[in-house]
Amino acid sequence: MKALYTTLRDSERSLWIHLLDESDLVARAEQLSDPSLPLYGVPFAVKDNIDVAGLPTTAACPAFTYTAEHTAPVVQALLDAGAILVGKTNLDQLATGLVGVRSPYGAVPNPFNPDYITGGSSSGSAAVVSQGLVPFALGTDTAGSGRVPAGFTNTVGLKPTKGSMSTRGVVPACRTLDCVSVFALSVADAETVYDLYRGYDAEDGYSRPDPAARPKALPARPRLGIPDQLPWFDDTQAEQAWKQQLSAMADIAELVPLDLQALHDTAALLYQGPWVAERYSVAEPLMQNQDALLPVIRDVIGVAEGMSAVDAFRAQYKLADLKRQADALLSQVDALLVPTSPGIYRIDAVNADPIRLNSQLGVWTNFVNLLDQCALALPGGFREDGLPCGITLIGPAWHDAALAEFGRRWQQHQPWQAGAVGSDLPRVTPAQASEDDADHITVAVVGAHLSGMPLNGQLTERGGVLLEATETAPCYRLYALANTTPPKPGLIKSDDGAAIQIELWQLPVSEFGSFVGLIPPPLGIGSLETADGRLVKGFICEGWAIDDATDITALGGWRAYIAQRQNTAN
């Protein structure tokens, strides 16, 4: 537990609004008594617009802050399943935004390049999972807040059917549309968590009972509807990544181009129509205080002051007609497949043009809840610049399990996702709650053992826990070794080196020997220096092996190299 607390404490502060202290974490772990619980000892985080009794709920708005008297049912279900809450994560204020920079607690930097956005509004929840700080985290999703951040952080974002879970104890954005979403590294983990917190809540007026029959799987080779036209807003790397994703998807599905204009017309209703008045219903007291809200949030929500009940009814009529068109589209295929977003932006660009760029990010997300659909955001590989680029499956209400089943197929089909088949979530047991690190060793991995890579299972099956994603000191060169299966890198210390992306894993000492025994020459384990000066055990390479290897130092890490290989192959 000490190692977990230290890692959380030392993580990027803008990820969190409230972190539990070490004594609280130990107390929560020591309360666990039933190892058979499905999430026994699994640490997790929740977005700070979801109530946890005794903790403040801010919704990233200090003027709104209150101490929750009750725990939201979705969180309580996970606590009852044995999970350990570690903290509450940052978000776009009042869950209004898809960018992750609209918070007085700081912009959440992208884990793969801090100059870029993480996406929002569930920015902190996606980032803490992407960085390996927790195995899963809860977000919320009204317009895409549980999907856009997943696409930008190489995580899974499960956006359930609205009403399939309770939203009591969740600060409303648009109460008629709000969902509680989950971020994880694998579809299996995300579905495990969702199955624990979903269910009818008689005290929630928008909760709905499950239908008698819920589809469990898509066909062996499903027909997936794809957009016949796509706006890329000049992001050529996103466009190229989509072409590669379609090429890979064609191996396991039939792709059917469709005219999806009805979806775009629906998306326009969310912020250009009277649903913004739902946000105003929560923010109205704050609108009277000039300093309570960020200016961009005030601008977005303030539009509602010029709307009327007549506008609301007219929009409802239009939505009903658009839903008929959307249902007709879905009837032609087994599900839709779209880019999670049409591109990604630098933080400074979003700050300079906050409303237009935010709006562009919602092209493929804003319509889903309005049309009563479910969605699953999936990792889709990496762009040429090393940033993740996600895809999203969309289906009718109550098709959550069917999308998840196919999502697992997609992850197993991708070489760089082969280890993301779950669901053996890292756990902290009561016995570990007060122990020090004497029984564990930190191992730095740089290539095929990274999260989602082919050999990652050699760590997880030995009880390995991902501590953090970081970099080496700037004194290493990275090489793609020749004739290795699966492809492997070699890390060599050098006077003219650079910082290389790595992950630090905690491995039980009792398992370390068997792990080392799996490492083939020319690789071995030695001492490796991290960016902050720590010396840890890590993969090193014998010098002779680089004679016929390819120097890939300039790419900064193995994931970027794998992405480049895929680009070349396609």
Side-chain angles (χ1 to χ4, degrees):
M1 184 60 75
K2 182 177 180 180
L4 173 62
Y5 172 71
T6 300
T7 299
L8 295 171
R9 181 199 63 198
D10 294 344
S11 62
E12 166 66 45
R13 191 66 191 93
S14 66
L15 300 176
W16 306 95
I17 292 180
H18 183 84
L19 264 175
L20 276 69
D21 61 29
E22 185 176 2
S23 62
D24 287 335
L25 295 179
V26 170
R28 288 174 181 265
E30 290 178 342
Q31 289 172 2
L32 298 177
S33 58
D34 184 359
S36 67
L37 293 172
L39 296 181
Y40 179 75
V42 178
F44 76 109
V46 301
K47 186 176 179 179
D48 195 25
N49 60 342
I50 304 175
D51 285 349
V52 177
L55 298 183
T57 298
T58 71
C61 181
F64 180 79
T65 303
Y66 61 89
T67 299
E69 296 183 5
H70 305 284
T71 297
V74 290
V75 177
Q76 191 60 55
L78 302 176
L79 297 175
D80 292 343
I84 301 173
L85 179 70
V86 302
K88 304 188 76 180
T89 56
N90 199 359
L91 65 149
D92 283 321
Q93 191 172 74
L94 299 184
T96 301
L98 292 173
V99 286
V101 304
R102 298 174 171 180
S103 172
Y105 298 92
V108 175
N110 190 288
F112 293 85
N113 186 330
D115 292 333
Y116 284 79
I117 62 173
T118 290
S121 63
S122 307
S123 51
S125 288
V128 297
V129 172
S130 178
Q131 294 186 27
L133 299 173
V134 290
F136 75 89
L138 295 186
T140 60
D141 189 305
T142 303
S145 297
R147 290 163 280 159
V148 170
F152 291 166
T153 60
N154 197 42
T155 57
V156 171
L158 190 156
K159 199 296 298 179
T161 298
K162 66 180 181 180
S164 67
M165 84 306 296
S166 175
T167 54
R168 276 195 300 127
V170 177
V171 177
C174 296
R175 190 181 168 204
T176 59
L177 304 177
D178 294 340
C179 299
V180 176
S181 65
V182 56
F183 296 94
L185 292 177
S186 74
V187 175
D189 288 347
E191 189 177 29
T192 294
V193 173
Y194 169 59
D195 283 344
L196 289 167
Y197 74 73
R198 71 178 178 86
Y200 178 66
D201 178 6
E203 297 182 50
D204 177 359
Y206 285 97
S207 180
R208 300 188 284 177
D210 284 8
R214 294 193 306 136
K216 301 297 184 184
L218 296 185
R221 184 174 175 82
R223 286 166 50 86
L224 301 182
I226 60 173
D228 63 355
Q229 296 185 29
L230 297 100
W232 294 112
F233 305 108
D234 298 324
D235 193 330
T236 56
Q237 290 199 38
E239 181 178 10
Q240 181 61 30
W242 172 247
K243 293 176 181 177
Q244 294 160 7
Q245 290 155 355
L246 290 185
S247 176
M249 189 62 75
D251 293 338
I252 57 175
E254 179 184 353
L255 304 180
V256 182
L258 296 175
D259 180 353
L260 301 182
Q261 185 58 46
L263 307 185
H264 296 309
D265 292 343
T266 303
L269 293 174
L270 191 62
Y271 283 104
Q272 298 173 30
W275 276 271
V276 74
E278 279 202 88
R279 296 181 185 272
Y280 190 90
S281 70
V282 176
E284 184 175 15
L286 300 169
M287 296 291 286
Q288 314 310 315
N289 179 351
Q290 191 63 35
D291 299 323
L293 297 174
L294 297 175
V296 65
I297 302 299
R298 179 178 294 279
D299 290 344
V300 171
I301 295 176
V303 174
E305 294 175 338
M307 293 176 178
S308 69
V310 173
D311 294 325
F313 279 108
R314 286 174 177 159
Q316 287 285 357
Y317 304 152
K318 184 174 183 179
L319 176 60
D321 292 337
L322 288 169
K323 180 164 172 45
R324 288 290 175 89
Q325 297 176 43
D327 290 347
L329 283 170
L330 272 175
S331 70
Q332 302 175 46
V333 293
D334 297 302
L336 299 178
L337 174 70
V338 300
T340 300
S341 76
I344 188 172
Y345 303 113
R346 297 174 63 93
I347 290 176
D348 54 6
V350 171
N351 287 334
D353 191 0
I355 293 181
R356 184 178 66 91
L357 297 188
N358 183 93
S359 178
Q360 290 176 358
L361 293 177
V363 165
W364 299 113
T365 61
N366 284 355
F367 55 84
V368 172
N369 285 341
L370 282 167
L371 294 173
D372 196 14
Q373 298 167 337
C374 60
L376 180 66
L378 295 165
F382 294 85
R383 300 151 43 112
E384 292 182 0
D385 56 10
L387 290 168
C389 197
I391 58 175
T392 295
L393 295 168
I394 299 172
W398 307 109
H399 281 57
D400 311 87
L403 296 188
E405 182 275 334
F406 185 75
R408 291 193 296 274
R409 278 191 253 166
W410 166 254
Q411 286 198 291
Q412 293 169 19
H413 179 65
Q414 300 305 302
W416 48 271
Q417 283 276 289
V421 294
S423 166
D424 185 16
L425 295 165
R427 302 166 189 267
V428 177
T429 67
Q432 295 170 328
S434 57
E435 72 179 12
D436 57 25
D437 294 334
D439 296 328
H440 294 82
I441 190 166
T442 298
V443 179
V445 298
V446 69
H449 288 86
L450 293 166
S451 301
M453 292 291 180
L455 299 183
N456 184 250
Q458 293 181 358
L459 288 165
T460 58
E461 67 191 11
R462 288 169 172 76
V465 176
L466 178 59
L467 296 177
E468 62 179 296
T470 184
E471 292 182 335
T472 68
C475 55
Y476 292 89
R477 300 201 70 80
L478 188 66
Y479 296 85
L481 300 178
N483 304 316
T484 55
T485 304
K488 299 181 184 71
L491 192 68
I492 301 283
K493 199 162 188 178
S494 172
D495 292 337
D496 61 344
I500 304 297
Q501 294 175 353
I502 57 173
E503 288 179 353
L504 300 184
W505 284 74
Q506 187 184 68
L507 196 65
V509 169
S510 60
E511 301 289 343
F512 183 64
S514 67
F515 175 69
V516 173
L518 297 173
I519 301 172
L523 302 178
I525 294 289
S527 294
L528 185 150
E529 184 180 359
T530 66
D532 57 5
R534 286 174 288 173
L535 288 177
V536 298
K537 297 302 179 185
F539 278 81
I540 58 174
C541 181
E542 296 182 56
W544 59 264
I546 68 171
D547 291 344
D548 57 353
T550 302
D551 190 332
I552 59 172
T553 307
L555 295 176
W558 188 244
R559 293 190 192 278
Y561 170 70
I562 293 296
Q564 186 183 78
R565 274 172 55 105
Q566 292 176 333
N567 293 340
T568 301
N570 293 321

